[in-house]
Amino acid sequence: MSQFSAAVQRSTLGLHSLDQYEPLIGAATAERIAGKAKRVRTMRVAHVSSTFYGGGVTELLTPLTLMMNAIGIETDWHLIQGTPGFFGCTKVLHNTLQGESIESSDAERAIYEEVVFENATRLHLDECDAIIVHDPQPLPLITHFPDREMPWLWQCHVDLSSPYAPVGRTITSRLDHRKTASERAASS
């Protein structure tokens, strides 16, 4: 374990060292995770979400980012900022991804895109080897980093089994944008 292990053991935010998870996941799984972590210890990973408190993403990222750092993977957690109008738009997006038929206005889409652009200008992700985006709120950030070749992973924490079709196509185009940008870079 790393230099942080002793401090992690005293943490009040939950389980954070791999050793603490071993009774829950078994020795073989803990060893497999440790082996995989050893291979990526030189990487810098950034998680991007929309809130530091409340909700499942926060409950997941709080111990995960601490554990990743404790096992030697340099891990950041970035928060996007937004206005009440922005978070109102993202609530509609969240609901439509779960199947509600709600149309966003041009004004709402403009608010959403503007706030995402503002976040892209303030987030410094250039030194990261991988970006993990949590939920749909920060997903459009990917369009503002077209020249970066680091992998972007989308960890969606909402039910996508029956999204409202127009919104499902918009999300797919966001994901396809990165693939297209990578293909353009490879052919240059």
Side-chain angles (χ1 to χ4, degrees):
M1 288 292 148
S2 75
Q3 65 199 24
F4 298 111
S5 292
V8 167
Q9 295 291 337
R10 294 187 311 273
S11 175
T12 60
L13 297 174
L15 301 176
H16 307 299
S17 75
L18 190 53
D19 293 338
Q20 291 174 303
Y21 283 95
E22 189 173 313
L24 302 170
I25 63 176
T29 300
E31 287 174 27
R32 191 176 80 245
I33 292 169
K36 289 179 179 188
K38 191 178 283 186
R39 292 193 304 260
V40 295
R41 279 206 172 118
T42 60
M43 293 185 73
R44 182 172 181 190
V45 177
H47 293 269
V48 182
S49 70
S50 62
T51 183
F52 279 132
Y53 354 83
V57 174
T58 299
E59 289 179 10
L60 185 133
L61 286 179
T62 297
L64 179 62
T65 55
L66 289 168
M67 182 174 60
M68 289 175 75
N69 278 294
I71 61 176
I73 302 168
E74 187 176 340
T75 307
D76 299 320
W77 180 2
H78 298 279
L79 177 70
I80 61 167
Q81 299 176 25
T83 63
F86 171 76
F87 287 109
C89 294
T90 64
K91 182 64 176 171
V92 169
L93 176 60
H94 183 274
N95 291 341
T96 58
L97 286 172
Q98 295 188 60
E100 282 191 44
S101 301
I102 305 170
E103 295 292 334
S104 295
S105 69
D106 289 342
E108 289 170 322
R109 284 190 294 278
I111 289 169
Y112 182 67
E113 295 296 332
E114 179 63 25
V115 171
V116 168
F117 170 76
E118 290 170 358
N119 278 285
T121 62
R122 91 170 46 92
L123 290 174
H124 300 283
L125 303 174
D126 294 332
E127 300 301 318
C128 296
D129 296 302
I131 310 294
I132 304 171
V133 177
H134 295 270
D135 279 335
Q137 295 92 334
L139 184 60
L141 287 169
I142 197 169
T143 63
H144 297 283
F145 296 89
D147 298 330
R148 295 290 299 144
E149 289 302 312
M150 83 285 252
W152 286 67
L153 308 167
W154 184 38
Q155 178 65 53
C156 186
H157 303 276
V158 297
D159 177 10
L160 296 177
S161 61
S162 58
Y164 179 51
V167 174
R169 285 189 298 272
T170 300
I171 293 295
T172 301
S173 73
R174 299 285 186 195
L175 299 173
D176 287 345
H177 175 273
R178 183 61 182 186
K179 181 179 175 191
T180 303
S182 295
E183 290 167 351
R184 276 195 312 265
S187 66
S188 303

